[in-house]
Amino acid sequence: MEITENVHLIPNIIANPYLIIDPDGLTLIDAGLPGSHKKILGYISGLGHSASDLKRIIITHADMDHVGGLSAIKKACSARVYASAIESDAMSKGVPSRKIKSRNSLRRLLMGVASLIMKARPIPADEIIKEGQILPVLGGLHVLETAGHTPGHISLFSPSTGILFTGDSIISHHEELSRSLPQLTWDEANADEAARKQAALGAHIVCPGHGPVIKEAINKFPKI
Ligand SMILES: [Zn+2]
């Protein structure tokens, strides 16, 4: 599903993966749950590209619904994987980068069981990225440290297009943007700061990890 020229949301995958088409190749942001590789690679071929056109895979954080499809996609192409140091360390062990602090014991138990059943294959990043770096994607994709949902979470902002990829630091529901769900948040104060920092960017389009893409986003950020 094309969001704007050369930026696509690959549909029907948990969590939302985004595909960016640049003249030098394709960039994928996040890789969905385990098994998502078929839909992702199918979408790429549906656009008339081959898996070998995929040059970069950027991971916002190491939760299984963002890295589950990564190892199978990586096998099909020679893309380099980018993530923060903290999230890459967790990815190399196939675990999330933080423990769920939910006060709801049933929810904690269910999350624990889910993480045992659906373990992501260990795969570290090829390149560690951090705040201030600008990747050669979509006219310059700025790396933002947006810890809170997880300790090493990153978001990505393209000033020339006004598109912000928030991972799970900001999610959407209908036409509204909200901060990372409290029961899945590693640190509340950091999550608030990450939301404020992103609200101040002047982004026009928000591409979240969960929920629909939000256009005319400028006044829809959570007021924190
Ligand atoms: Zn997450």
Side-chain angles (χ1 to χ4, degrees):
M1 189 179 93
E2 191 171 57
I3 300 164
T4 63
E5 202 183 359
N6 298 325
V7 181
H8 294 248
L9 163 64
I10 304 178
N12 306 319
I13 293 174
I14 301 171
N16 295 335
Y18 295 95
L19 185 70
I20 300 167
I21 302 165
D22 281 308
D24 76 329
L26 310 182
T27 299
L28 179 70
I29 298 179
D30 286 340
L33 280 171
S36 302
H37 61 285
K38 287 183 191 147
K39 282 185 189 166
I40 292 172
L41 294 171
Y43 191 91
I44 289 171
S45 65
L47 291 177
H49 292 279
S50 65
S52 62
D53 293 334
L54 192 57
K55 297 287 186 254
R56 303 172 198 87
I57 305 170
I58 309 172
I59 299 295
T60 59
H61 65 295
D63 281 355
M64 193 181 32
D65 54 341
H66 296 255
V67 297
L70 179 60
S71 66
I73 297 169
K74 178 92 163 138
K75 274 197 194 117
C77 64
S78 54
R80 292 182 71 71
V81 177
Y82 298 72
S84 75
I86 292 172
E87 302 301 318
S88 176
D89 186 52
M91 288 159 60
S92 70
K93 298 171 188 145
V95 297
S97 60
R98 49 85 175 91
K99 287 238 185 321
I100 298 298
K101 289 197 285 194
S102 175
R103 270 173 249 132
N104 180 324
S105 55
L106 177 62
R107 195 192 303 270
R108 243 184 2 246
L109 179 69
L110 290 174
M111 297 285 291
V113 170
S115 68
L116 286 176
I117 295 169
M118 302 183 75
K119 236 174 173 289
R121 279 182 189 274
I123 176 168
D126 298 306
E127 295 196 25
I128 300 301
I129 48 175
K130 53 188 175 188
E131 175 98 13
Q133 262 180 277
I134 302 172
L135 304 174
V137 176
L138 204 57
L141 200 54
H142 294 231
V143 178
L144 306 166
E145 284 171 4
T146 50
H149 177 70
T150 66
H153 192 288
I154 59 152
S155 297
L156 299 146
F157 181 50
S158 157
S160 63
T161 61
I163 303 178
L164 173 64
F165 300 91
T166 57
D168 285 359
S169 65
I170 292 177
I171 57 173
S172 71
H173 185 65
H174 300 299
E175 269 300 296
E176 297 206 349
L177 293 168
S178 58
R179 215 204 58 182
S180 160
L181 294 174
Q183 60 269 32
L184 299 177
T185 295
W186 165 71
D187 184 279
E188 299 278 343
N190 276 299
D192 284 347
E193 193 187 320
R196 276 195 294 267
K197 175 173 167 179
Q198 293 179 95
L201 293 169
H204 295 290
I205 299 175
V206 173
C207 298
H210 299 274
V213 169
I214 302 293
K215 296 190 176 178
E216 296 168 17
I218 224 153
N219 292 315
K220 296 177 184 166
F221 282 86
K223 312 272 183 288
I224 294 166

